[in-house]
Amino acid sequence: MSSTSPASEPRRRCAPVLITAIMLANVASACVPRTAMRFDRYDGRSDAGAVAQFQQDDAICKGEAAKAQAMAAPIHMGRSLADAMEAGMLEGQRNQALRQIMVGCMAGRGYSMTVVTPQP
């Protein structure tokens, strides 16, 4: 007779699937180059006043994005590989939406956004 209970059997079967999903997510994220957003003023100013204004505008817009993120519903990964993949796709969509909030906020304050890929 086996010492495992029938209730623990599904957990055992899900563990390899979950581990595989996490490994695939890590591998996929390692292949995607990291990018950053750079904001430039439309008027081209770069004096001390413009730098101080940028710091204030940047903080305000990051706060707007953080508010949106805090109000978002949680994303649950589930127990299957399909659930984990769906959660990953939803997370990517959420990150894109938060990025658009930041870009829109900064555009409203007089900045254009350029995507830059940092050099290793």
Side-chain angles (χ1 to χ4, degrees), residues 57-80:
D57 292 338
D58 186 56
I60 290 168
C61 291
K62 284 179 179 174
E64 292 296 317
K67 258 194 306 191
Q69 185 173 19
M71 293 185 330
I75 297 174
H76 298 287
M77 190 162 83
R79 294 185 177 221
S80 70

Side-chain angles (χ1 to χ4, degrees), residues 6 15 19-20 22-23 28 36 47 59-61 63 70-71 78-79 81 97-98 101-102 106 110 112 114 119:
I19 292 169
T20 302
I22 292 169
M23 288 173 40
D47 57 81
I60 290 168
C61 291
M71 293 185 330
R79 294 185 177 221
L81 179 58
L98 293 171
I101 290 169
M102 182 73 179
M106 291 297 281
S112 65
T114 304
Q119 299 299 322

Side-chain angles (χ1 to χ4, degrees), residues 18-32 77 81 84 88:
L18 184 59
I19 292 169
T20 302
I22 292 169
M23 288 173 40
L24 287 173
N26 286 336
V27 168
S29 66
C31 296
V32 177
M77 190 162 83
L81 179 58

Side-chain angles (χ1 to χ4, degrees), residues 2-70:
S2 174
S3 65
T4 61
S5 70
S8 68
E9 195 60 34
R11 277 189 237 140
R12 274 203 181 135
R13 281 185 266 153
C14 290
V17 172
L18 184 59
I19 292 169
T20 302
I22 292 169
M23 288 173 40
L24 287 173
N26 286 336
V27 168
S29 66
C31 296
V32 177
R34 292 282 189 207
T35 60
M37 295 184 288
R38 185 183 78 210
F39 293 99
D40 299 306
R41 292 179 56 98
Y42 288 132
D43 62 11
R45 284 183 47 211
S46 60
D47 57 81
V51 170
Q53 185 64 49
F54 170 79
Q55 290 172 340
Q56 182 179 5
D57 292 338
D58 186 56
I60 290 168
C61 291
K62 284 179 179 174
E64 292 296 317
K67 258 194 306 191
Q69 185 173 19

